Amino acid sequence: MFYAMMLPAVILLVINNYIPMLGIIIAFKTINYQDGILGSPWSGMKNFEYLFASKDSYIIIRNTLLYNSLFIVLNLGLPLAFALMLNEMKNRFLSKLHQTIMFLPYFLSMIVISYLVYGFLSDERGYFNGTLLPAMGLEPVRWYFTKEVWPVILPIINTWKNMGYYTVVYMAAIIGIDEEYYEAATIDGANKWQQMKKITIPLITPVITIMTLLQIGKIFNADFGLFFQVPRESGALFPVTNVIDTYVYRTFLTVGDIGLSSAAGLFQSVVGFVLVFVSNWIVRRINPENALF
Amino acid sequence: MAKPTSELISGSNSKNQISGRASVLINTFFVIYSALCILPLLLIISVSLSDEQSVMTHGYRFLPANFNLAAYKFLIKDIDQIVHSYGISIAVTVTGTILSVIVIALYAYPISRSNFPQAKFFTFFVFLTMLISGGLVPWYLVYVQMLDLRDTLWSLIMPLIMSAFWVLIMRTFFKETVPEAVLESAKIDGAGELRIFIRIVLPLSLPVLATVALFQTLTYWNDWFLSLVFITDNHNISVQYFMYKMMVNIQYLSSNPNAMAEITRAGGMVNFPSETVRMAMVVVGVGPIIFAYPFFQKYFIKGLTVGSVKG
């Protein structure tokens, strides 16, 4: 009976995950459509050599890693600070209200967000160029052609979108802490700051670790929507917006280079896999309780 | 001097409160941050309600310049496409969410049972998919070449039904909330596994089922990637993808004078209120989420608490 219950899921996992895993051989082949995937000739490491010889590979790896590292730091630090502050807010109603409002961006799709960003950054009529900058006596900026500003814009958008989610996760963990710890600490004369450092932070460390581990595991997977939709595919921005995911998509569905695209995809998958294991191993060494597996 | 404990618990102890000034600072800070979360949407709504000409000359403003419903009137002309896209989005979201909850629960239950000998293997079978993937290309070829699902609604539903993450969360929930003894006694009374699952396990697990349903609803409704990859004909266009296409098409037209001229020659309308219509479309697309979200987020918060139970 158990097997019958699990059958639909197993079929889906095989289709979505396991057959494509076998498909990594495409990365080692020169695909032509007459012979099909299995019949096409082997090309050894050619696709990889080509990938790493191009200057794209450096850019996409750098962008993916730097952005994601920054995102991890921001997704940890700011929501944690927000949760701690919200927890101190005396007015419970206001605290709930702010949580509700902060959660709003999380519900919007990247398409909608790309429109919102366009509303601010569009060349002639965007809020910045059309209203704000002239009012301050500044020259308009051609945002979608100025690559220097995007390493700032993208982290802001990412943080803005996810802030509510992470704040609530940390809030939930903080609320779960037994009040007695704080009562005891207060009797011992600990002030707020000491309580935070000695009680709150240590007790929510498991949640922090798991949230961070999950993100480190995906450090080689960029948020495709953020890097594809929000910069509106502006070629001038590719040096700062092209990441592995957008590169794989473009080389495959726009350029049509199956081999190169699969090689990049496989590289991404392998490095991501190694990173999960390494970070999990490190956490396990420090405190096995906090490890993911 | 020690105060009575009852007072400590009620929180009236001055030592356990932050200072008045800090409190004012925190409150001000959050008012500003909350404003930043809403303002971008207000900008879009304001533009959609403005007169195209004044948007063209004055740019986007937070207060509608020359209040005007032209953009919405224009969209109503295209109402068939919008209704159709809404239909697609709703159909995909509802079907996908229902299938998701069923499939995930049916898989999570056996691996939560300690008397199922293969539980470990099947847990790993699903966990592995969180760690390794074949990448976009082989996955795409499976859907397009092996299954030939391009341009079907199944291509928008199937890839998102299974989620390893929710399987593991659900398994933990089943393990912790449903006592083995209850299952044992049901078995002794002669109930089959499926019956036990439907009659006992599911009713006890409503919080986690609701959580998965909520998150999957959001995932399906907001998905545009599957449309981008799999949908080539204009028939199966969801709301999100419609917005994306609109953005791309207008961008193409405005950066390509020849195309504009071509359309005018063919008798098409070029002089439509493009800026305001675009923003009106976003308002139409965002609509249901905005109305559902205050209700949603309450349960989301509960769901995240369920989710933070370690797997």
Short mmCIF file of all heavy atoms in Angstrom, two decimals, chain A residues 2-3 5-6 9 16 18 90 98 100 107 109 115-116 119 125 131 160 195 225 229 232 252 261 269 289 291 293, chain B residues 16-17 34 36 44 60-61 106-107 118 122 125 127 133 137 140 143 222 224 240 243-244 247 275 282 293 297 310:
data_model
loop_
_atom_site.label_atom_id
_atom_site.label_comp_id
_atom_site.label_asym_id
_atom_site.label_seq_id
_atom_site.Cartn_x
_atom_site.Cartn_y
_atom_site.Cartn_z
N PHE A 2 1.89 1.25 0.86
CA PHE A 2 2.79 2.41 0.91
C PHE A 2 3.36 2.71 -0.46
O PHE A 2 3.46 3.86 -0.87
CB PHE A 2 3.92 2.16 1.90
CG PHE A 2 3.50 2.36 3.33
CD1 PHE A 2 4.22 1.80 4.37
CD2 PHE A 2 2.40 3.14 3.63
CE1 PHE A 2 3.85 2.00 5.69
CE2 PHE A 2 2.01 3.35 4.95
CZ PHE A 2 2.74 2.78 5.98
N TYR A 3 3.74 1.66 -1.18
CA TYR A 3 4.35 1.87 -2.49
C TYR A 3 3.36 2.53 -3.44
O TYR A 3 3.71 3.42 -4.21
CB TYR A 3 4.85 0.56 -3.08
CG TYR A 3 6.01 0.00 -2.29
CD1 TYR A 3 5.86 -1.13 -1.50
CD2 TYR A 3 7.25 0.63 -2.33
CE1 TYR A 3 6.91 -1.63 -0.76
CE2 TYR A 3 8.31 0.14 -1.59
CZ TYR A 3 8.14 -0.99 -0.81
OH TYR A 3 9.18 -1.47 -0.07
N MET A 5 0.92 4.47 -2.62
CA MET A 5 0.75 5.87 -2.22
C MET A 5 1.88 6.74 -2.75
O MET A 5 1.68 7.90 -3.12
CB MET A 5 0.71 5.97 -0.68
CG MET A 5 -0.54 5.38 -0.05
SD MET A 5 -0.34 5.20 1.74
CE MET A 5 -0.75 6.83 2.29
N MET A 6 3.05 6.18 -2.78
CA MET A 6 4.21 6.98 -3.15
C MET A 6 4.42 7.07 -4.66
O MET A 6 5.23 7.87 -5.12
CB MET A 6 5.47 6.40 -2.49
CG MET A 6 5.43 6.50 -0.99
SD MET A 6 6.66 5.45 -0.23
CE MET A 6 8.08 6.48 -0.40
N ALA A 9 4.42 10.52 -6.67
CA ALA A 9 5.58 11.35 -6.34
C ALA A 9 6.85 10.79 -6.96
O ALA A 9 7.67 11.53 -7.49
CB ALA A 9 5.73 11.45 -4.83
N ASN A 16 11.22 14.84 -13.22
CA ASN A 16 11.77 16.17 -12.98
C ASN A 16 13.23 16.17 -12.58
O ASN A 16 13.94 17.13 -12.83
CB ASN A 16 10.99 16.87 -11.85
CG ASN A 16 9.66 17.39 -12.32
OD1 ASN A 16 9.52 17.83 -13.45
ND2 ASN A 16 8.67 17.31 -11.45
N TYR A 18 15.43 12.78 -11.80
CA TYR A 18 16.39 11.70 -12.03
C TYR A 18 16.75 11.52 -13.50
O TYR A 18 17.93 11.34 -13.82
CB TYR A 18 15.90 10.40 -11.38
CG TYR A 18 16.10 10.47 -9.88
CD1 TYR A 18 15.09 10.89 -9.02
CD2 TYR A 18 17.35 10.18 -9.33
CE1 TYR A 18 15.31 11.01 -7.65
CE2 TYR A 18 17.58 10.29 -7.96
CZ TYR A 18 16.56 10.70 -7.13
OH TYR A 18 16.79 10.83 -5.79
N LYS A 90 6.44 47.87 22.00
CA LYS A 90 5.47 47.65 23.07
C LYS A 90 4.08 47.42 22.54
O LYS A 90 3.31 46.63 23.06
CB LYS A 90 5.47 48.87 24.01
CG LYS A 90 6.66 48.88 24.94
CD LYS A 90 6.74 50.20 25.69
CE LYS A 90 8.17 50.49 26.06
NZ LYS A 90 8.39 51.92 26.27
N HIS A 98 3.20 46.21 11.11
CA HIS A 98 4.43 46.36 10.36
C HIS A 98 4.84 45.03 9.72
O HIS A 98 5.27 45.00 8.58
CB HIS A 98 5.55 46.88 11.26
CG HIS A 98 5.39 48.32 11.61
ND1 HIS A 98 5.30 49.30 10.64
CD2 HIS A 98 5.29 48.96 12.79
CE1 HIS A 98 5.15 50.48 11.23
NE2 HIS A 98 5.13 50.30 12.54
N THR A 100 2.87 42.70 8.76
CA THR A 100 1.98 42.47 7.62
C THR A 100 2.44 43.27 6.40
O THR A 100 2.51 42.75 5.30
CB THR A 100 0.54 42.87 7.98
OG1 THR A 100 0.17 42.19 9.17
CG2 THR A 100 -0.42 42.52 6.88
N PHE A 107 5.02 38.64 -1.67
CA PHE A 107 3.92 38.04 -2.42
C PHE A 107 3.90 38.46 -3.89
O PHE A 107 3.08 37.98 -4.64
CB PHE A 107 2.58 38.42 -1.78
CG PHE A 107 2.33 37.72 -0.48
CD1 PHE A 107 2.94 38.12 0.69
CD2 PHE A 107 1.47 36.62 -0.43
CE1 PHE A 107 2.72 37.47 1.88
CE2 PHE A 107 1.24 35.97 0.76
CZ PHE A 107 1.86 36.39 1.92
N SER A 109 5.24 38.81 -7.73
CA SER A 109 6.11 38.05 -8.63
C SER A 109 7.21 38.97 -9.14
O SER A 109 7.11 40.19 -9.08
CB SER A 109 5.31 37.51 -9.81
OG SER A 109 5.04 38.55 -10.71
N TYR A 115 8.28 45.71 -12.99
CA TYR A 115 7.49 46.89 -13.33
C TYR A 115 7.65 47.98 -12.27
O TYR A 115 7.76 49.16 -12.59
CB TYR A 115 6.00 46.54 -13.45
CG TYR A 115 5.56 46.07 -14.81
CD1 TYR A 115 5.46 44.73 -15.11
CD2 TYR A 115 5.23 46.99 -15.80
CE1 TYR A 115 5.04 44.29 -16.35
CE2 TYR A 115 4.80 46.57 -17.05
CZ TYR A 115 4.71 45.21 -17.33
OH TYR A 115 4.31 44.79 -18.55
N LEU A 116 7.63 47.59 -11.01
CA LEU A 116 7.78 48.57 -9.94
C LEU A 116 9.12 49.29 -10.08
O LEU A 116 9.21 50.52 -9.98
CB LEU A 116 7.71 47.90 -8.56
CG LEU A 116 6.43 47.17 -8.17
CD1 LEU A 116 6.52 46.66 -6.75
CD2 LEU A 116 5.22 48.08 -8.32
N GLY A 119 9.09 51.68 -12.82
CA GLY A 119 8.39 52.91 -12.45
C GLY A 119 9.33 53.94 -11.84
O GLY A 119 9.15 55.14 -12.02
N ARG A 125 10.56 58.97 -17.85
CA ARG A 125 9.41 59.23 -17.00
C ARG A 125 9.48 58.58 -15.62
O ARG A 125 8.61 58.79 -14.80
CB ARG A 125 8.14 58.81 -17.73
CG ARG A 125 7.83 59.72 -18.90
CD ARG A 125 6.72 59.19 -19.75
NE ARG A 125 7.20 58.14 -20.64
CZ ARG A 125 7.79 58.38 -21.82
NH1 ARG A 125 7.98 59.60 -22.22
NH2 ARG A 125 8.18 57.39 -22.58
N THR A 131 11.07 63.08 -11.68
CA THR A 131 10.63 63.95 -10.59
C THR A 131 11.73 64.22 -9.56
O THR A 131 12.09 65.36 -9.30
CB THR A 131 9.42 63.32 -9.87
OG1 THR A 131 8.45 63.00 -10.86
CG2 THR A 131 8.83 64.28 -8.86
N TRP A 160 14.55 43.90 -0.02
CA TRP A 160 13.19 44.44 0.09
C TRP A 160 12.16 43.33 -0.09
O TRP A 160 11.17 43.25 0.63
CB TRP A 160 13.02 45.52 -0.99
CG TRP A 160 11.71 46.20 -1.01
CD1 TRP A 160 11.28 47.18 -0.16
CD2 TRP A 160 10.64 45.99 -1.95
NE1 TRP A 160 10.01 47.58 -0.51
CE2 TRP A 160 9.60 46.87 -1.61
CE3 TRP A 160 10.47 45.14 -3.04
CZ2 TRP A 160 8.40 46.93 -2.32
CZ3 TRP A 160 9.29 45.19 -3.74
CH2 TRP A 160 8.27 46.08 -3.39
N GLN A 195 20.66 40.69 27.69
CA GLN A 195 19.69 39.60 27.46
C GLN A 195 19.72 39.16 26.01
O GLN A 195 19.67 37.97 25.69
CB GLN A 195 18.28 40.07 27.81
CG GLN A 195 18.06 40.26 29.29
CD GLN A 195 16.68 40.79 29.59
OE1 GLN A 195 15.76 40.64 28.81
NE2 GLN A 195 16.53 41.43 30.73
N GLY A 225 14.74 35.19 -11.65
CA GLY A 225 13.82 36.30 -11.87
C GLY A 225 14.47 37.65 -11.61
O GLY A 225 14.35 38.57 -12.41
N GLN A 229 14.54 39.41 -15.05
CA GLN A 229 13.41 40.31 -15.25
C GLN A 229 13.73 41.75 -14.88
O GLN A 229 13.40 42.66 -15.62
CB GLN A 229 12.20 39.86 -14.40
CG GLN A 229 11.60 38.56 -14.83
CD GLN A 229 10.91 38.66 -16.16
OE1 GLN A 229 10.75 39.73 -16.71
NE2 GLN A 229 10.51 37.53 -16.71
N ARG A 232 15.64 44.01 -17.11
CA ARG A 232 14.98 44.05 -18.41
C ARG A 232 15.90 43.66 -19.56
O ARG A 232 15.85 44.25 -20.64
CB ARG A 232 14.39 45.45 -18.65
CG ARG A 232 13.51 45.90 -17.51
CD ARG A 232 12.98 47.27 -17.72
NE ARG A 232 11.91 47.25 -18.71
CZ ARG A 232 11.73 48.20 -19.62
NH1 ARG A 232 12.55 49.21 -19.68
NH2 ARG A 232 10.74 48.13 -20.46
N PHE A 252 21.30 28.50 -24.02
CA PHE A 252 20.46 27.39 -24.49
C PHE A 252 19.30 27.88 -25.34
O PHE A 252 19.18 27.54 -26.52
CB PHE A 252 19.95 26.59 -23.30
CG PHE A 252 19.03 25.45 -23.68
CD1 PHE A 252 19.30 24.67 -24.79
CD2 PHE A 252 17.91 25.16 -22.91
CE1 PHE A 252 18.46 23.62 -25.14
CE2 PHE A 252 17.07 24.12 -23.25
CZ PHE A 252 17.34 23.35 -24.37
N SER A 261 25.68 25.20 -22.75
CA SER A 261 24.70 25.44 -21.70
C SER A 261 24.67 24.30 -20.69
O SER A 261 24.64 24.53 -19.48
CB SER A 261 23.33 25.63 -22.34
OG SER A 261 22.37 25.89 -21.37
N SER A 269 25.78 22.70 -10.84
CA SER A 269 25.23 21.67 -9.98
C SER A 269 26.30 21.03 -9.11
O SER A 269 26.11 20.83 -7.91
CB SER A 269 24.55 20.62 -10.87
OG SER A 269 23.87 19.71 -10.10
N GLU A 289 24.19 19.37 16.41
CA GLU A 289 22.75 19.64 16.55
C GLU A 289 22.22 20.54 15.43
O GLU A 289 21.08 20.42 15.01
CB GLU A 289 22.49 20.34 17.89
CG GLU A 289 22.57 19.42 19.08
CD GLU A 289 21.27 18.68 19.30
OE1 GLU A 289 20.30 19.34 19.66
OE2 GLU A 289 21.25 17.45 19.08
N ALA A 291 23.41 20.90 12.36
CA ALA A 291 23.67 20.50 10.98
C ALA A 291 22.36 20.13 10.27
O ALA A 291 21.38 19.74 10.89
CB ALA A 291 24.64 19.32 10.94
N PHE A 293 22.09 17.77 7.87
CA PHE A 293 22.01 16.31 7.76
C PHE A 293 23.29 15.67 8.28
O PHE A 293 24.26 16.38 8.53
CB PHE A 293 21.76 15.86 6.32
CG PHE A 293 22.67 16.47 5.30
CD1 PHE A 293 23.90 15.89 4.99
CD2 PHE A 293 22.29 17.65 4.64
CE1 PHE A 293 24.73 16.45 4.04
CE2 PHE A 293 23.13 18.21 3.69
CZ PHE A 293 24.35 17.63 3.39
N ASN B 16 13.00 45.62 32.33
CA ASN B 16 12.83 44.74 31.18
C ASN B 16 12.13 45.43 30.02
O ASN B 16 11.59 44.81 29.13
CB ASN B 16 12.07 43.47 31.58
CG ASN B 16 12.57 42.30 30.75
OD1 ASN B 16 13.63 42.38 30.15
ND2 ASN B 16 11.80 41.23 30.74
N GLN B 17 12.12 46.75 30.06
CA GLN B 17 11.53 47.51 28.96
C GLN B 17 12.62 48.37 28.36
O GLN B 17 13.51 48.82 29.05
CB GLN B 17 10.42 48.42 29.50
CG GLN B 17 9.25 47.68 30.08
CD GLN B 17 8.21 47.37 29.05
OE1 GLN B 17 8.06 48.11 28.09
NE2 GLN B 17 7.49 46.29 29.20
N SER B 34 7.92 50.54 6.51
CA SER B 34 6.63 50.07 5.99
C SER B 34 6.20 50.94 4.81
O SER B 34 5.67 50.43 3.81
CB SER B 34 5.56 50.11 7.08
OG SER B 34 5.81 49.11 8.03
N LEU B 36 8.12 52.38 2.72
CA LEU B 36 8.93 51.97 1.57
C LEU B 36 8.40 50.69 0.92
O LEU B 36 8.64 50.42 -0.25
CB LEU B 36 10.39 51.76 1.99
CG LEU B 36 11.16 53.02 2.34
CD1 LEU B 36 12.58 52.68 2.79
CD2 LEU B 36 11.22 53.96 1.13
N ILE B 44 2.74 52.90 -9.00
CA ILE B 44 2.17 52.19 -10.15
C ILE B 44 0.67 52.49 -10.27
O ILE B 44 0.16 52.79 -11.37
CB ILE B 44 2.38 50.67 -9.98
CG1 ILE B 44 3.86 50.34 -9.97
CG2 ILE B 44 1.65 49.89 -11.05
CD1 ILE B 44 4.56 50.60 -11.25
N TYR B 60 6.44 59.97 -13.90
CA TYR B 60 5.61 59.25 -12.93
C TYR B 60 5.53 60.04 -11.63
O TYR B 60 6.53 60.54 -11.14
CB TYR B 60 6.21 57.86 -12.64
CG TYR B 60 6.20 56.93 -13.80
CD1 TYR B 60 6.83 55.68 -13.71
CD2 TYR B 60 5.56 57.24 -15.00
CE1 TYR B 60 6.83 54.79 -14.78
CE2 TYR B 60 5.55 56.35 -16.06
CZ TYR B 60 6.20 55.14 -15.94
OH TYR B 60 6.18 54.27 -16.98
N ARG B 61 4.32 60.13 -11.09
CA ARG B 61 4.11 60.85 -9.85
C ARG B 61 3.35 59.98 -8.87
O ARG B 61 2.62 59.08 -9.26
CB ARG B 61 3.28 62.13 -10.09
CG ARG B 61 3.97 63.15 -10.96
CD ARG B 61 4.95 63.96 -10.12
NE ARG B 61 5.79 64.81 -10.94
CZ ARG B 61 5.44 66.02 -11.35
NH1 ARG B 61 4.24 66.49 -11.05
NH2 ARG B 61 6.26 66.75 -12.06
N LEU B 106 0.97 12.08 0.26
CA LEU B 106 1.03 10.64 0.02
C LEU B 106 2.46 10.11 0.08
O LEU B 106 2.69 8.96 0.41
CB LEU B 106 0.42 10.29 -1.35
CG LEU B 106 -1.11 10.28 -1.44
CD1 LEU B 106 -1.56 10.07 -2.86
CD2 LEU B 106 -1.69 9.20 -0.53
N TYR B 107 3.41 10.95 -0.25
CA TYR B 107 4.80 10.52 -0.20
C TYR B 107 5.36 10.70 1.22
O TYR B 107 6.12 9.86 1.71
CB TYR B 107 5.63 11.32 -1.19
CG TYR B 107 7.03 10.78 -1.40
CD1 TYR B 107 7.29 9.85 -2.41
CD2 TYR B 107 8.10 11.19 -0.61
CE1 TYR B 107 8.56 9.34 -2.61
CE2 TYR B 107 9.38 10.69 -0.80
CZ TYR B 107 9.60 9.77 -1.81
OH TYR B 107 10.87 9.27 -2.01
N GLN B 118 11.56 0.69 4.10
CA GLN B 118 12.29 1.46 3.09
C GLN B 118 12.24 2.97 3.35
O GLN B 118 12.63 3.75 2.49
CB GLN B 118 11.75 1.17 1.70
CG GLN B 118 12.49 0.04 0.99
CD GLN B 118 12.11 -1.31 1.60
OE1 GLN B 118 10.95 -1.59 1.81
NE2 GLN B 118 13.12 -2.12 1.90
N PHE B 122 13.67 6.01 0.79
CA PHE B 122 12.81 6.95 0.08
C PHE B 122 12.98 8.39 0.59
O PHE B 122 12.74 9.33 -0.16
CB PHE B 122 11.35 6.51 0.14
CG PHE B 122 11.06 5.40 -0.83
CD1 PHE B 122 10.90 4.10 -0.41
CD2 PHE B 122 10.98 5.67 -2.20
CE1 PHE B 122 10.65 3.08 -1.32
CE2 PHE B 122 10.74 4.67 -3.11
CZ PHE B 122 10.57 3.35 -2.68
N PHE B 125 15.90 9.44 -1.34
CA PHE B 125 15.49 9.56 -2.75
C PHE B 125 14.94 10.96 -3.05
O PHE B 125 15.18 11.51 -4.12
CB PHE B 125 14.41 8.50 -3.03
CG PHE B 125 14.04 8.36 -4.49
CD1 PHE B 125 14.90 7.76 -5.39
CD2 PHE B 125 12.81 8.83 -4.94
CE1 PHE B 125 14.55 7.63 -6.73
CE2 PHE B 125 12.46 8.70 -6.28
CZ PHE B 125 13.33 8.10 -7.17
N PHE B 127 15.41 13.65 -0.81
CA PHE B 127 16.37 14.64 -0.32
C PHE B 127 17.46 14.91 -1.36
O PHE B 127 17.88 16.06 -1.56
CB PHE B 127 16.99 14.16 0.99
CG PHE B 127 17.97 15.12 1.58
CD1 PHE B 127 17.57 16.38 2.00
CD2 PHE B 127 19.31 14.77 1.70
CE1 PHE B 127 18.48 17.28 2.53
CE2 PHE B 127 20.23 15.67 2.24
CZ PHE B 127 19.81 16.93 2.65
N SER B 133 21.07 18.60 -9.37
CA SER B 133 20.11 18.68 -10.45
C SER B 133 20.86 18.51 -11.76
O SER B 133 22.06 18.75 -11.84
CB SER B 133 19.38 20.02 -10.42
OG SER B 133 20.16 21.00 -11.05
N VAL B 137 19.05 22.22 -19.28
CA VAL B 137 18.97 21.61 -20.61
C VAL B 137 18.34 20.21 -20.60
O VAL B 137 17.34 19.99 -21.28
CB VAL B 137 20.36 21.60 -21.29
CG1 VAL B 137 20.27 20.96 -22.66
CG2 VAL B 137 20.90 23.01 -21.39
N TYR B 140 14.68 20.41 -19.65
CA TYR B 140 13.87 20.96 -20.74
C TYR B 140 13.62 19.89 -21.80
O TYR B 140 12.51 19.73 -22.29
CB TYR B 140 14.61 22.15 -21.35
CG TYR B 140 13.94 22.75 -22.56
CD1 TYR B 140 12.96 23.72 -22.41
CD2 TYR B 140 14.30 22.36 -23.85
CE1 TYR B 140 12.35 24.28 -23.52
CE2 TYR B 140 13.69 22.91 -24.96
CZ TYR B 140 12.72 23.88 -24.78
OH TYR B 140 12.10 24.42 -25.88
N TYR B 143 10.89 17.42 -20.90
CA TYR B 143 9.53 17.95 -21.06
C TYR B 143 9.14 18.15 -22.52
O TYR B 143 8.01 17.91 -22.91
CB TYR B 143 9.36 19.25 -20.28
CG TYR B 143 8.92 18.98 -18.87
CD1 TYR B 143 9.84 18.77 -17.86
CD2 TYR B 143 7.56 18.87 -18.56
CE1 TYR B 143 9.44 18.47 -16.58
CE2 TYR B 143 7.15 18.57 -17.27
CZ TYR B 143 8.09 18.37 -16.29
OH TYR B 143 7.68 18.06 -15.03
N ASN B 222 2.46 33.00 -9.07
CA ASN B 222 3.53 33.92 -9.45
C ASN B 222 4.48 33.36 -10.49
O ASN B 222 5.40 34.04 -10.92
CB ASN B 222 4.33 34.34 -8.22
CG ASN B 222 3.67 35.49 -7.48
OD1 ASN B 222 2.80 36.15 -8.03
ND2 ASN B 222 4.06 35.70 -6.25
N TRP B 224 6.27 32.45 -13.77
CA TRP B 224 6.31 32.91 -15.15
C TRP B 224 7.40 32.18 -15.91
O TRP B 224 7.42 32.12 -17.12
CB TRP B 224 6.60 34.41 -15.19
CG TRP B 224 7.77 34.75 -14.32
CD1 TRP B 224 7.72 35.03 -12.97
CD2 TRP B 224 9.14 34.73 -14.66
NE1 TRP B 224 8.99 35.20 -12.49
CE2 TRP B 224 9.88 35.03 -13.51
CE3 TRP B 224 9.82 34.49 -15.87
CZ2 TRP B 224 11.27 35.08 -13.51
CZ3 TRP B 224 11.21 34.57 -15.86
CH2 TRP B 224 11.92 34.86 -14.68
N GLN B 240 0.84 36.40 -15.32
CA GLN B 240 2.22 36.85 -15.17
C GLN B 240 2.92 36.96 -16.53
O GLN B 240 3.62 37.91 -16.80
CB GLN B 240 3.01 35.88 -14.28
CG GLN B 240 2.42 35.64 -12.92
CD GLN B 240 2.41 36.88 -12.06
OE1 GLN B 240 3.28 37.74 -12.19
NE2 GLN B 240 1.44 36.99 -11.19
N MET B 243 1.88 39.90 -18.56
CA MET B 243 2.56 41.14 -18.15
C MET B 243 3.97 41.19 -18.72
O MET B 243 4.44 42.23 -19.17
CB MET B 243 2.62 41.23 -16.62
CG MET B 243 1.31 41.62 -15.98
SD MET B 243 1.57 42.04 -14.25
CE MET B 243 1.36 40.47 -13.48
N TYR B 244 4.63 40.03 -18.68
CA TYR B 244 5.99 39.97 -19.21
C TYR B 244 6.01 40.30 -20.70
O TYR B 244 6.79 41.11 -21.17
CB TYR B 244 6.59 38.59 -18.94
CG TYR B 244 7.87 38.32 -19.70
CD1 TYR B 244 9.07 38.91 -19.32
CD2 TYR B 244 7.87 37.47 -20.81
CE1 TYR B 244 10.24 38.67 -20.02
CE2 TYR B 244 9.04 37.23 -21.51
CZ TYR B 244 10.22 37.83 -21.12
OH TYR B 244 11.37 37.59 -21.82
N MET B 247 5.49 43.93 -21.46
CA MET B 247 6.71 44.69 -21.23
C MET B 247 7.66 44.54 -22.41
O MET B 247 8.17 45.53 -22.95
CB MET B 247 7.37 44.16 -19.95
CG MET B 247 8.63 44.87 -19.54
SD MET B 247 8.29 46.41 -18.70
CE MET B 247 8.89 46.12 -17.07
N GLU B 275 2.16 53.97 -21.55
CA GLU B 275 2.69 54.01 -20.19
C GLU B 275 1.62 53.64 -19.16
O GLU B 275 1.83 52.79 -18.30
CB GLU B 275 3.22 55.42 -19.87
CG GLU B 275 4.39 55.86 -20.71
CD GLU B 275 5.70 55.18 -20.30
OE1 GLU B 275 5.78 54.71 -19.15
OE2 GLU B 275 6.61 55.11 -21.13
N VAL B 282 -0.46 45.92 -14.59
CA VAL B 282 0.17 45.45 -13.35
C VAL B 282 -0.85 45.47 -12.22
O VAL B 282 -0.96 44.51 -11.45
CB VAL B 282 1.39 46.31 -12.96
CG1 VAL B 282 2.02 45.79 -11.70
CG2 VAL B 282 2.40 46.31 -14.08
N TYR B 293 -3.64 38.74 0.31
CA TYR B 293 -2.44 38.60 1.12
C TYR B 293 -2.59 38.94 2.62
O TYR B 293 -2.01 38.23 3.45
CB TYR B 293 -1.27 39.35 0.46
CG TYR B 293 -0.68 40.47 1.24
CD1 TYR B 293 0.40 40.25 2.09
CD2 TYR B 293 -1.20 41.74 1.15
CE1 TYR B 293 0.94 41.28 2.81
CE2 TYR B 293 -0.67 42.78 1.88
CZ TYR B 293 0.39 42.54 2.71
OH TYR B 293 0.91 43.56 3.43
N GLN B 297 -1.20 36.11 4.83
CA GLN B 297 0.05 36.21 5.57
C GLN B 297 -0.09 35.76 7.02
O GLN B 297 0.84 35.26 7.61
CB GLN B 297 0.61 37.62 5.47
CG GLN B 297 -0.16 38.70 6.19
CD GLN B 297 0.45 39.01 7.53
OE1 GLN B 297 1.65 38.88 7.71
NE2 GLN B 297 -0.40 39.38 8.47
N LYS B 310 12.61 21.43 12.94
CA LYS B 310 13.71 20.86 12.15
C LYS B 310 13.38 19.46 11.61
O LYS B 310 12.77 18.65 12.27
CB LYS B 310 14.96 20.78 13.01
CG LYS B 310 16.21 20.62 12.17
CD LYS B 310 17.42 20.43 13.05
CE LYS B 310 18.46 19.64 12.26
NZ LYS B 310 19.57 19.30 13.08
#
